[in-house]
Amino acid sequence: MVEQVRDYIGGQWVEAPDAEWLNVVNPASADVIGKVLLTPREVVAQAVESGHQAFQEWRYVPVGERIQPLFKLKFLLDEHINDLARTITNECGKTFAESVGELRRGIENVEVACGAPALMQGYNNEDVARGIDEHLFRQPLGVVTAITPFNFPAMIPLWFLPYAVATGNSFILKPSERVPMTSHKLFELIEQAGFPPGVIQLVNGGKDTVDALLDHPQVKAVSFVGSTPVARYVYSRASANGKRAQCQGGAKNPVIILPDADMEMTTRIMADSAFGCAGQRCLAASVAITVGDARHTFTESIADAAIQRRVGYGLDEGVQMGPVITDASKARIESLIAQGQQEGADVLVDGRNKTVPRYERGYWVYPTILNNVNPQSAIAHTEIFGPVLSLMHAASIEEAIKLVNDRAYGNMACIFTSDGAAARRFRNEANAGNIGINIGVAAPMAFFPFSGWNESFFGDLHAQAHHGIEFYTQTKVVVERWPREWNRQF
Ligand code: NAD
């Protein structure tokens, strides 16, 4: 059955007359599994107006009451986790276990935002001058929005939504038009959780819908996650229109492997990092830089791991890696592998031209390893966003750290070693916001911010935890004088 994904505006499921619809496709089977509304500008304006109305009441609901529907949402998400995970696998391609994993990370953000009564406290000083006190309060902004990518259909909306509403804002989600069915399910639960109409809304669509949000004067803040060119564009347009913006972009994450690393553990973790979610993670390891003898030991073991990975439909038993998101994405990844080859890399494991029995029409790229990638080549710097690991080889840790830092992105950098001093030096010198030490996917827990740097992030405050609370509130400083002599005697 093909499902129609509509908008959720003012507490109602709505569709716009005469609007266009886009097919939603299961990337493992290439079957059309749904249709999503492309919301026109005037309907976006209705959602913003409804959010603005809701905000007038919601901001005065005491914070301890505002978090009650979030508690309910947490339990609803737990209860429906398997159903949501199946939806993620069917529209996004990742395995069922990966889908459950991303939901758990999303739910953690709901849990952390339930701490808003403590997290959004201000601070004060008595007697900053004689008889004068000074206080800092945090107040919500108004209508805020998040524009999210295809690769984490549940977790990434939940990086923003709970903090935005716990702090008293009204929130509009614009999910990726390639994976809208998860948000639809999420909003069915949001409806049951008991938020007042207009506090949390869903508008579907692509670029035109995003532009309508970026241009609307009542939208006060924009959170974005996606590719770097779009992140840069959204950041520029939102800030030119006077809005707060936090825009997370793409990545090309380097990982150093020292010869003293535990090679069995390193290989297992690196294979999960590079090939998990078919390499479609902004924290996927995409460049491995071996030092010294690790060149031989790691190259051999990661090639074995790549060949052995079980590729298939994510709801089938034992499958370790699903398809990539679209046919166009498959073609782009394959052409980047060919480009790497032309630039002098050896294709040590080739994942092109492969299929999966019973799913021949799916968008399959198997794990691929490019060896001896030239650090100066274009492929060494291009985000592939597929299951492709590039290997480079360095003679020393100095050379390896230089290769780590010689790049425009700065989402994540990792090191595998048993040498504490080497790890400490790397931690200090690596030019990236998320650092892993014997970790392959350095994804911060919900109570830490997600700190991409450089071309991986445009803005100041990041997603999650205190940064989320600060992003969605503006500070007001009150200086007050109450002279003792005014103290009436009753
Ligand atoms: P994308 O940039 O194509 O799309 C992201 C969102 O922007 C979607 O909602 C889409 O509808 C919208 N959009 C697309 N083109 C637009 C345009 N021209 N104008 C306005 N809006 C537009 O990204 P994607 O392919 O969905 O996701 C993959 C990318 O996201 C990768 O580059 C990945 O590294 C990045 N990503 C980054 C993080 C992070 O935290 N830094 C996390 C996940 C994904």
Side-chain angles (χ1 to χ4, degrees), residues 147-151 156 159 174-178 205-207 210 224-227 230 233 248-251 282 383 385 411 450 456:
I147 298 148
T148 54
F150 81 82
N151 64 330
I156 292 183
W159 280 356
K174 203 303 287 172
S176 166
E177 64 277 36
R178 285 181 274 177
K207 177 176 169 40
V210 171
F224 172 89
V225 183
S227 57
V230 183
Y233 164 77
Q248 326 232 36
C282 69
E383 180 178 44
F385 220 57
N411 217 31
F450 187 109
S456 297

PDB file of all heavy atoms in Angstrom, residues 147-151 156 159 174-178 205-207 210 224-227 230 233 248-251 282 383 385 411 450 456, ligand 1:
ATOM      1  N   ILE A 147      15.695  21.689   9.546  1.00  0.00           N
ATOM      2  CA  ILE A 147      15.683  21.106   8.196  1.00  0.00           C
ATOM      3  C   ILE A 147      16.695  19.964   8.235  1.00  0.00           C
ATOM      4  O   ILE A 147      17.869  20.195   8.547  1.00  0.00           O
ATOM      5  CB  ILE A 147      16.084  22.191   7.172  1.00  0.00           C
ATOM      6  CG1 ILE A 147      15.057  23.324   7.204  1.00  0.00           C
ATOM      7  CG2 ILE A 147      16.238  21.607   5.772  1.00  0.00           C
ATOM      8  CD1 ILE A 147      15.641  24.671   6.893  1.00  0.00           C
ATOM      9  N   THR A 148      16.239  18.748   7.965  1.00  0.00           N
ATOM     10  CA  THR A 148      17.077  17.594   8.297  1.00  0.00           C
ATOM     11  C   THR A 148      17.371  16.710   7.075  1.00  0.00           C
ATOM     12  O   THR A 148      16.642  16.745   6.085  1.00  0.00           O
ATOM     13  CB  THR A 148      16.394  16.780   9.427  1.00  0.00           C
ATOM     14  OG1 THR A 148      15.062  16.453   9.010  1.00  0.00           O
ATOM     15  CG2 THR A 148      16.332  17.573  10.713  1.00  0.00           C
ATOM     16  N   PRO A 149      18.435  15.891   7.145  1.00  0.00           N
ATOM     17  CA  PRO A 149      18.883  15.093   5.998  1.00  0.00           C
ATOM     18  C   PRO A 149      18.257  13.693   5.981  1.00  0.00           C
ATOM     19  O   PRO A 149      17.516  13.332   6.898  1.00  0.00           O
ATOM     20  CB  PRO A 149      20.386  14.984   6.240  1.00  0.00           C
ATOM     21  CG  PRO A 149      20.495  14.910   7.732  1.00  0.00           C
ATOM     22  CD  PRO A 149      19.368  15.737   8.285  1.00  0.00           C
ATOM     23  N   PHE A 150      18.626  12.918   4.962  1.00  0.00           N
ATOM     24  CA  PHE A 150      17.990  11.603   4.803  1.00  0.00           C
ATOM     25  C   PHE A 150      18.587  10.527   5.699  1.00  0.00           C
ATOM     26  O   PHE A 150      17.946   9.512   5.967  1.00  0.00           O
ATOM     27  CB  PHE A 150      18.076  11.147   3.330  1.00  0.00           C
ATOM     28  CG  PHE A 150      19.414  10.546   2.964  1.00  0.00           C
ATOM     29  CD1 PHE A 150      19.699   9.219   3.247  1.00  0.00           C
ATOM     30  CD2 PHE A 150      20.403  11.306   2.348  1.00  0.00           C
ATOM     31  CE1 PHE A 150      20.932   8.660   2.926  1.00  0.00           C
ATOM     32  CE2 PHE A 150      21.630  10.760   2.027  1.00  0.00           C
ATOM     33  CZ  PHE A 150      21.895   9.435   2.324  1.00  0.00           C
ATOM     34  N   ASN A 151      19.837  10.714   6.170  1.00  0.00           N
ATOM     35  CA  ASN A 151      20.549   9.544   6.684  1.00  0.00           C
ATOM     36  C   ASN A 151      20.194   9.148   8.116  1.00  0.00           C
ATOM     37  O   ASN A 151      20.490   8.029   8.517  1.00  0.00           O
ATOM     38  CB  ASN A 151      22.062   9.712   6.509  1.00  0.00           C
ATOM     39  CG  ASN A 151      22.624  10.857   7.309  1.00  0.00           C
ATOM     40  OD1 ASN A 151      21.943  11.838   7.564  1.00  0.00           O
ATOM     41  ND2 ASN A 151      23.870  10.741   7.714  1.00  0.00           N
ATOM     42  N   ILE A 156      18.042  12.732  13.909  1.00  0.00           N
ATOM     43  CA  ILE A 156      18.429  14.137  13.708  1.00  0.00           C
ATOM     44  C   ILE A 156      17.279  15.103  14.027  1.00  0.00           C
ATOM     45  O   ILE A 156      17.507  16.088  14.734  1.00  0.00           O
ATOM     46  CB  ILE A 156      19.095  14.342  12.330  1.00  0.00           C
ATOM     47  CG1 ILE A 156      20.454  13.612  12.358  1.00  0.00           C
ATOM     48  CG2 ILE A 156      19.278  15.832  12.024  1.00  0.00           C
ATOM     49  CD1 ILE A 156      21.318  13.735  11.132  1.00  0.00           C
ATOM     50  N   TRP A 159      17.497  15.741  17.595  1.00  0.00           N
ATOM     51  CA  TRP A 159      18.587  16.590  18.096  1.00  0.00           C
ATOM     52  C   TRP A 159      18.056  17.979  18.449  1.00  0.00           C
ATOM     53  O   TRP A 159      18.679  18.718  19.191  1.00  0.00           O
ATOM     54  CB  TRP A 159      19.660  16.794  17.025  1.00  0.00           C
ATOM     55  CG  TRP A 159      20.641  15.694  16.833  1.00  0.00           C
ATOM     56  CD1 TRP A 159      20.748  14.540  17.546  1.00  0.00           C
ATOM     57  CD2 TRP A 159      21.691  15.664  15.845  1.00  0.00           C
ATOM     58  NE1 TRP A 159      21.789  13.790  17.051  1.00  0.00           N
ATOM     59  CE2 TRP A 159      22.379  14.453  16.026  1.00  0.00           C
ATOM     60  CE3 TRP A 159      22.097  16.533  14.843  1.00  0.00           C
ATOM     61  CZ2 TRP A 159      23.472  14.089  15.218  1.00  0.00           C
ATOM     62  CZ3 TRP A 159      23.167  16.170  14.055  1.00  0.00           C
ATOM     63  CH2 TRP A 159      23.855  14.962  14.235  1.00  0.00           C
ATOM     64  N   LYS A 174      11.084  20.258   8.957  1.00  0.00           N
ATOM     65  CA  LYS A 174      11.048  20.017   7.507  1.00  0.00           C
ATOM     66  C   LYS A 174      12.029  18.869   7.264  1.00  0.00           C
ATOM     67  O   LYS A 174      13.226  19.064   7.129  1.00  0.00           O
ATOM     68  CB  LYS A 174      11.479  21.280   6.746  1.00  0.00           C
ATOM     69  CG  LYS A 174      10.980  21.386   5.315  1.00  0.00           C
ATOM     70  CD  LYS A 174      11.345  20.243   4.398  1.00  0.00           C
ATOM     71  CE  LYS A 174      12.770  20.211   3.988  1.00  0.00           C
ATOM     72  NZ  LYS A 174      13.163  18.977   3.245  1.00  0.00           N
ATOM     73  N   PRO A 175      11.502  17.618   7.239  1.00  0.00           N
ATOM     74  CA  PRO A 175      12.402  16.470   7.082  1.00  0.00           C
ATOM     75  C   PRO A 175      12.857  16.317   5.633  1.00  0.00           C
ATOM     76  O   PRO A 175      12.325  16.965   4.730  1.00  0.00           O
ATOM     77  CB  PRO A 175      11.513  15.295   7.482  1.00  0.00           C
ATOM     78  CG  PRO A 175      10.124  15.733   7.159  1.00  0.00           C
ATOM     79  CD  PRO A 175      10.090  17.231   7.310  1.00  0.00           C
ATOM     80  N   SER A 176      13.819  15.421   5.417  1.00  0.00           N
ATOM     81  CA  SER A 176      14.252  15.122   4.045  1.00  0.00           C
ATOM     82  C   SER A 176      13.079  14.525   3.280  1.00  0.00           C
ATOM     83  O   SER A 176      12.398  13.611   3.779  1.00  0.00           O
ATOM     84  CB  SER A 176      15.400  14.127   4.065  1.00  0.00           C
ATOM     85  OG  SER A 176      15.590  13.612   2.763  1.00  0.00           O
ATOM     86  N   GLU A 177      12.864  15.002   2.072  1.00  0.00           N
ATOM     87  CA  GLU A 177      11.761  14.501   1.252  1.00  0.00           C
ATOM     88  C   GLU A 177      12.020  13.063   0.789  1.00  0.00           C
ATOM     89  O   GLU A 177      11.133  12.408   0.265  1.00  0.00           O
ATOM     90  CB  GLU A 177      11.514  15.425   0.051  1.00  0.00           C
ATOM     91  CG  GLU A 177      12.646  15.535  -0.963  1.00  0.00           C
ATOM     92  CD  GLU A 177      13.742  16.546  -0.576  1.00  0.00           C
ATOM     93  OE1 GLU A 177      14.043  16.670   0.626  1.00  0.00           O
ATOM     94  OE2 GLU A 177      14.312  17.167  -1.488  1.00  0.00           O
ATOM     95  N   ARG A 178      13.257  12.564   1.022  1.00  0.00           N
ATOM     96  CA  ARG A 178      13.542  11.179   0.625  1.00  0.00           C
ATOM     97  C   ARG A 178      13.129  10.185   1.707  1.00  0.00           C
ATOM     98  O   ARG A 178      12.973   9.010   1.421  1.00  0.00           O
ATOM     99  CB  ARG A 178      15.032  11.037   0.295  1.00  0.00           C
ATOM    100  CG  ARG A 178      15.347  11.677  -1.051  1.00  0.00           C
ATOM    101  CD  ARG A 178      16.786  11.536  -1.417  1.00  0.00           C
ATOM    102  NE  ARG A 178      17.575  12.604  -0.852  1.00  0.00           N
ATOM    103  CZ  ARG A 178      18.887  12.710  -0.970  1.00  0.00           C
ATOM    104  NH1 ARG A 178      19.557  11.791  -1.635  1.00  0.00           N
ATOM    105  NH2 ARG A 178      19.539  13.721  -0.454  1.00  0.00           N
ATOM    106  N   GLY A 205       8.645  18.683   2.058  1.00  0.00           N
ATOM    107  CA  GLY A 205       8.999  19.334   0.801  1.00  0.00           C
ATOM    108  C   GLY A 205      10.492  19.383   0.584  1.00  0.00           C
ATOM    109  O   GLY A 205      11.267  18.772   1.336  1.00  0.00           O
ATOM    110  N   GLY A 206      10.903  20.116  -0.443  1.00  0.00           N
ATOM    111  CA  GLY A 206      12.307  20.247  -0.794  1.00  0.00           C
ATOM    112  C   GLY A 206      12.753  21.696  -0.715  1.00  0.00           C
ATOM    113  O   GLY A 206      12.353  22.427   0.200  1.00  0.00           O
ATOM    114  N   LYS A 207      13.535  22.125  -1.698  1.00  0.00           N
ATOM    115  CA  LYS A 207      14.165  23.453  -1.654  1.00  0.00           C
ATOM    116  C   LYS A 207      13.152  24.597  -1.505  1.00  0.00           C
ATOM    117  O   LYS A 207      13.364  25.514  -0.703  1.00  0.00           O
ATOM    118  CB  LYS A 207      15.001  23.661  -2.919  1.00  0.00           C
ATOM    119  CG  LYS A 207      15.631  25.037  -2.982  1.00  0.00           C
ATOM    120  CD  LYS A 207      16.532  25.198  -4.171  1.00  0.00           C
ATOM    121  CE  LYS A 207      16.955  26.646  -4.389  1.00  0.00           C
ATOM    122  NZ  LYS A 207      17.272  27.434  -3.205  1.00  0.00           N
ATOM    123  N   VAL A 210      11.931  24.852   1.962  1.00  0.00           N
ATOM    124  CA  VAL A 210      12.997  25.380   2.826  1.00  0.00           C
ATOM    125  C   VAL A 210      13.101  26.892   2.647  1.00  0.00           C
ATOM    126  O   VAL A 210      13.156  27.652   3.627  1.00  0.00           O
ATOM    127  CB  VAL A 210      14.351  24.701   2.488  1.00  0.00           C
ATOM    128  CG1 VAL A 210      15.502  25.385   3.224  1.00  0.00           C
ATOM    129  CG2 VAL A 210      14.308  23.221   2.835  1.00  0.00           C
ATOM    130  N   PHE A 224      19.931  23.306  10.801  1.00  0.00           N
ATOM    131  CA  PHE A 224      20.042  22.565   9.538  1.00  0.00           C
ATOM    132  C   PHE A 224      21.088  21.482   9.693  1.00  0.00           C
ATOM    133  O   PHE A 224      22.138  21.694  10.312  1.00  0.00           O
ATOM    134  CB  PHE A 224      20.466  23.515   8.398  1.00  0.00           C
ATOM    135  CG  PHE A 224      20.774  22.771   7.120  1.00  0.00           C
ATOM    136  CD1 PHE A 224      19.765  22.504   6.201  1.00  0.00           C
ATOM    137  CD2 PHE A 224      22.065  22.310   6.857  1.00  0.00           C
ATOM    138  CE1 PHE A 224      20.042  21.776   5.039  1.00  0.00           C
ATOM    139  CE2 PHE A 224      22.340  21.583   5.693  1.00  0.00           C
ATOM    140  CZ  PHE A 224      21.331  21.334   4.789  1.00  0.00           C
ATOM    141  N   VAL A 225      20.829  20.322   9.078  1.00  0.00           N
ATOM    142  CA  VAL A 225      21.851  19.278   8.941  1.00  0.00           C
ATOM    143  C   VAL A 225      21.751  18.738   7.524  1.00  0.00           C
ATOM    144  O   VAL A 225      20.659  18.401   7.053  1.00  0.00           O
ATOM    145  CB  VAL A 225      21.641  18.123   9.954  1.00  0.00           C
ATOM    146  CG1 VAL A 225      22.765  17.103   9.831  1.00  0.00           C
ATOM    147  CG2 VAL A 225      21.574  18.651  11.378  1.00  0.00           C
ATOM    148  N   GLY A 226      22.879  18.666   6.839  1.00  0.00           N
ATOM    149  CA  GLY A 226      22.893  18.148   5.464  1.00  0.00           C
ATOM    150  C   GLY A 226      24.263  18.341   4.849  1.00  0.00           C
ATOM    151  O   GLY A 226      25.271  18.418   5.567  1.00  0.00           O
ATOM    152  N   SER A 227      24.318  18.457   3.534  1.00  0.00           N
ATOM    153  CA  SER A 227      25.601  18.577   2.839  1.00  0.00           C
ATOM    154  C   SER A 227      26.167  19.983   3.003  1.00  0.00           C
ATOM    155  O   SER A 227      25.418  20.939   3.259  1.00  0.00           O
ATOM    156  CB  SER A 227      25.399  18.261   1.364  1.00  0.00           C
ATOM    157  OG  SER A 227      24.424  19.130   0.837  1.00  0.00           O
ATOM    158  N   VAL A 230      24.692  22.991   0.819  1.00  0.00           N
ATOM    159  CA  VAL A 230      23.351  23.430   1.248  1.00  0.00           C
ATOM    160  C   VAL A 230      23.437  24.073   2.637  1.00  0.00           C
ATOM    161  O   VAL A 230      22.769  25.075   2.913  1.00  0.00           O
ATOM    162  CB  VAL A 230      22.329  22.272   1.197  1.00  0.00           C
ATOM    163  CG1 VAL A 230      20.939  22.779   1.571  1.00  0.00           C
ATOM    164  CG2 VAL A 230      22.294  21.630  -0.185  1.00  0.00           C
ATOM    165  N   TYR A 233      24.541  27.564   2.148  1.00  0.00           N
ATOM    166  CA  TYR A 233      23.441  28.342   1.565  1.00  0.00           C
ATOM    167  C   TYR A 233      22.381  28.692   2.627  1.00  0.00           C
ATOM    168  O   TYR A 233      21.961  29.842   2.756  1.00  0.00           O
ATOM    169  CB  TYR A 233      22.819  27.526   0.418  1.00  0.00           C
ATOM    170  CG  TYR A 233      21.464  28.013  -0.009  1.00  0.00           C
ATOM    171  CD1 TYR A 233      21.340  29.152  -0.804  1.00  0.00           C
ATOM    172  CD2 TYR A 233      20.312  27.349   0.403  1.00  0.00           C
ATOM    173  CE1 TYR A 233      20.084  29.604  -1.181  1.00  0.00           C
ATOM    174  CE2 TYR A 233      19.059  27.796   0.032  1.00  0.00           C
ATOM    175  CZ  TYR A 233      18.950  28.927  -0.753  1.00  0.00           C
ATOM    176  OH  TYR A 233      17.710  29.391  -1.116  1.00  0.00           O
ATOM    177  N   GLN A 248      24.886  22.238  10.163  1.00  0.00           N
ATOM    178  CA  GLN A 248      25.908  21.179  10.152  1.00  0.00           C
ATOM    179  C   GLN A 248      26.023  20.648   8.740  1.00  0.00           C
ATOM    180  O   GLN A 248      25.016  20.353   8.103  1.00  0.00           O
ATOM    181  CB  GLN A 248      25.489  20.029  11.072  1.00  0.00           C
ATOM    182  CG  GLN A 248      24.715  20.497  12.286  1.00  0.00           C
ATOM    183  CD  GLN A 248      25.298  19.976  13.576  1.00  0.00           C
ATOM    184  OE1 GLN A 248      26.511  19.846  13.721  1.00  0.00           O
ATOM    185  NE2 GLN A 248      24.447  19.691  14.516  1.00  0.00           N
ATOM    186  N   GLY A 249      27.263  20.501   8.274  1.00  0.00           N
ATOM    187  CA  GLY A 249      27.498  20.100   6.892  1.00  0.00           C
ATOM    188  C   GLY A 249      28.131  18.732   6.754  1.00  0.00           C
ATOM    189  O   GLY A 249      28.024  17.886   7.644  1.00  0.00           O
ATOM    190  N   GLY A 250      28.816  18.523   5.640  1.00  0.00           N
ATOM    191  CA  GLY A 250      29.377  17.221   5.289  1.00  0.00           C
ATOM    192  C   GLY A 250      30.689  16.938   6.000  1.00  0.00           C
ATOM    193  O   GLY A 250      31.104  17.664   6.907  1.00  0.00           O
ATOM    194  N   ALA A 251      31.351  15.864   5.560  1.00  0.00           N
ATOM    195  CA  ALA A 251      32.542  15.414   6.272  1.00  0.00           C
ATOM    196  C   ALA A 251      33.423  14.538   5.390  1.00  0.00           C
ATOM    197  O   ALA A 251      32.977  14.018   4.364  1.00  0.00           O
ATOM    198  CB  ALA A 251      32.114  14.617   7.502  1.00  0.00           C
ATOM    199  N   CYS A 282      27.654  11.000   8.698  1.00  0.00           N
ATOM    200  CA  CYS A 282      28.596  12.125   8.710  1.00  0.00           C
ATOM    201  C   CYS A 282      29.768  11.817   9.631  1.00  0.00           C
ATOM    202  O   CYS A 282      30.766  12.522   9.607  1.00  0.00           O
ATOM    203  CB  CYS A 282      27.901  13.407   9.126  1.00  0.00           C
ATOM    204  SG  CYS A 282      27.417  13.358  10.843  1.00  0.00           S
ATOM    205  N   GLU A 383      33.840  14.259  -0.212  1.00  0.00           N
ATOM    206  CA  GLU A 383      32.946  13.394   0.573  1.00  0.00           C
ATOM    207  C   GLU A 383      32.265  12.418  -0.392  1.00  0.00           C
ATOM    208  O   GLU A 383      31.556  12.849  -1.305  1.00  0.00           O
ATOM    209  CB  GLU A 383      31.896  14.230   1.303  1.00  0.00           C
ATOM    210  CG  GLU A 383      30.955  13.350   2.120  1.00  0.00           C
ATOM    211  CD  GLU A 383      29.896  14.124   2.913  1.00  0.00           C
ATOM    212  OE1 GLU A 383      29.293  15.052   2.348  1.00  0.00           O
ATOM    213  OE2 GLU A 383      29.674  13.768   4.083  1.00  0.00           O
ATOM    214  N   PHE A 385      30.301   9.669   0.702  1.00  0.00           N
ATOM    215  CA  PHE A 385      29.027   9.308   1.346  1.00  0.00           C
ATOM    216  C   PHE A 385      28.497   7.976   0.831  1.00  0.00           C
ATOM    217  O   PHE A 385      27.354   7.837   0.411  1.00  0.00           O
ATOM    218  CB  PHE A 385      27.990  10.422   1.177  1.00  0.00           C
ATOM    219  CG  PHE A 385      27.176  10.623   2.433  1.00  0.00           C
ATOM    220  CD1 PHE A 385      27.797  10.907   3.638  1.00  0.00           C
ATOM    221  CD2 PHE A 385      25.795  10.507   2.424  1.00  0.00           C
ATOM    222  CE1 PHE A 385      27.068  11.072   4.804  1.00  0.00           C
ATOM    223  CE2 PHE A 385      25.050  10.668   3.590  1.00  0.00           C
ATOM    224  CZ  PHE A 385      25.698  10.961   4.776  1.00  0.00           C
ATOM    225  N   ASN A 411      34.698  17.375  10.892  1.00  0.00           N
ATOM    226  CA  ASN A 411      33.630  16.786  11.695  1.00  0.00           C
ATOM    227  C   ASN A 411      34.189  15.853  12.758  1.00  0.00           C
ATOM    228  O   ASN A 411      33.858  15.955  13.923  1.00  0.00           O
ATOM    229  CB  ASN A 411      32.648  16.039  10.791  1.00  0.00           C
ATOM    230  CG  ASN A 411      31.227  16.197  11.257  1.00  0.00           C
ATOM    231  OD1 ASN A 411      30.871  17.218  11.830  1.00  0.00           O
ATOM    232  ND2 ASN A 411      30.407  15.196  11.023  1.00  0.00           N
ATOM    233  N   PHE A 450      27.209  18.297  19.717  1.00  0.00           N
ATOM    234  CA  PHE A 450      27.785  17.644  18.529  1.00  0.00           C
ATOM    235  C   PHE A 450      28.617  18.699  17.800  1.00  0.00           C
ATOM    236  O   PHE A 450      28.082  19.555  17.111  1.00  0.00           O
ATOM    237  CB  PHE A 450      26.639  17.161  17.641  1.00  0.00           C
ATOM    238  CG  PHE A 450      27.101  16.340  16.482  1.00  0.00           C
ATOM    239  CD1 PHE A 450      26.856  14.981  16.458  1.00  0.00           C
ATOM    240  CD2 PHE A 450      27.788  16.913  15.419  1.00  0.00           C
ATOM    241  CE1 PHE A 450      27.290  14.210  15.394  1.00  0.00           C
ATOM    242  CE2 PHE A 450      28.226  16.151  14.363  1.00  0.00           C
ATOM    243  CZ  PHE A 450      27.975  14.802  14.343  1.00  0.00           C
ATOM    244  N   SER A 456      32.491  21.682   8.090  1.00  0.00           N
ATOM    245  CA  SER A 456      31.437  20.772   8.562  1.00  0.00           C
ATOM    246  C   SER A 456      30.406  21.504   9.422  1.00  0.00           C
ATOM    247  O   SER A 456      29.441  20.883   9.878  1.00  0.00           O
ATOM    248  CB  SER A 456      32.038  19.624   9.393  1.00  0.00           C
ATOM    249  OG  SER A 456      32.896  18.850   8.612  1.00  0.00           O
TER     250      SER A 456
HETATM  251  P1  NAD B   1      21.140  17.570   1.556  1.00  0.00           P
HETATM  252  O1  NAD B   1      22.011  18.743   1.824  1.00  0.00           O
HETATM  253  O2  NAD B   1      20.904  17.149   0.158  1.00  0.00           O
HETATM  254  O3  NAD B   1      19.669  17.795   2.196  1.00  0.00           O
HETATM  255  C1  NAD B   1      19.482  18.173   3.534  1.00  0.00           C
HETATM  256  C2  NAD B   1      18.170  18.942   3.668  1.00  0.00           C
HETATM  257  O4  NAD B   1      18.246  20.137   2.876  1.00  0.00           O
HETATM  258  C3  NAD B   1      16.939  18.189   3.164  1.00  0.00           C
HETATM  259  O5  NAD B   1      15.876  18.433   4.053  1.00  0.00           O
HETATM  260  C4  NAD B   1      16.656  18.800   1.790  1.00  0.00           C
HETATM  261  O6  NAD B   1      15.297  18.815   1.463  1.00  0.00           O
HETATM  262  C5  NAD B   1      17.186  20.212   1.931  1.00  0.00           C
HETATM  263  N1  NAD B   1      17.767  20.751   0.706  1.00  0.00           N
HETATM  264  C6  NAD B   1      18.429  20.062  -0.258  1.00  0.00           C
HETATM  265  N2  NAD B   1      18.862  20.898  -1.217  1.00  0.00           N
HETATM  266  C7  NAD B   1      18.468  22.139  -0.864  1.00  0.00           C
HETATM  267  C8  NAD B   1      18.641  23.428  -1.445  1.00  0.00           C
HETATM  268  N3  NAD B   1      19.293  23.591  -2.579  1.00  0.00           N
HETATM  269  N4  NAD B   1      18.111  24.482  -0.805  1.00  0.00           N
HETATM  270  C9  NAD B   1      17.453  24.328   0.369  1.00  0.00           C
HETATM  271  N5  NAD B   1      17.277  23.135   0.972  1.00  0.00           N
HETATM  272  C10 NAD B   1      17.776  22.050   0.365  1.00  0.00           C
HETATM  273  O7  NAD B   1      21.757  16.359   2.421  1.00  0.00           O
HETATM  274  P2  NAD B   1      21.355  14.820   2.407  1.00  0.00           P
HETATM  275  O8  NAD B   1      21.817  14.206   1.134  1.00  0.00           O
HETATM  276  O9  NAD B   1      19.939  14.635   2.822  1.00  0.00           O
HETATM  277  O10 NAD B   1      22.260  14.277   3.609  1.00  0.00           O
HETATM  278  C11 NAD B   1      23.590  13.870   3.461  1.00  0.00           C
HETATM  279  C12 NAD B   1      24.555  14.969   3.854  1.00  0.00           C
HETATM  280  O11 NAD B   1      24.299  15.388   5.186  1.00  0.00           O
HETATM  281  C13 NAD B   1      26.003  14.503   3.846  1.00  0.00           C
HETATM  282  O12 NAD B   1      26.808  15.518   3.293  1.00  0.00           O
HETATM  283  C14 NAD B   1      26.325  14.308   5.322  1.00  0.00           C
HETATM  284  O13 NAD B   1      27.697  14.418   5.664  1.00  0.00           O
HETATM  285  C15 NAD B   1      25.520  15.395   5.934  1.00  0.00           C
HETATM  286  N6  NAD B   1      25.238  15.135   7.339  1.00  0.00           N
HETATM  287  C16 NAD B   1      25.884  15.895   8.270  1.00  0.00           C
HETATM  288  C17 NAD B   1      25.672  15.663   9.626  1.00  0.00           C
HETATM  289  C18 NAD B   1      26.382  16.482  10.653  1.00  0.00           C
HETATM  290  O14 NAD B   1      26.017  16.396  11.808  1.00  0.00           O
HETATM  291  N7  NAD B   1      27.384  17.269  10.301  1.00  0.00           N
HETATM  292  C19 NAD B   1      24.781  14.660  10.019  1.00  0.00           C
HETATM  293  C20 NAD B   1      24.128  13.912   9.041  1.00  0.00           C
HETATM  294  C21 NAD B   1      24.355  14.164   7.698  1.00  0.00           C
END
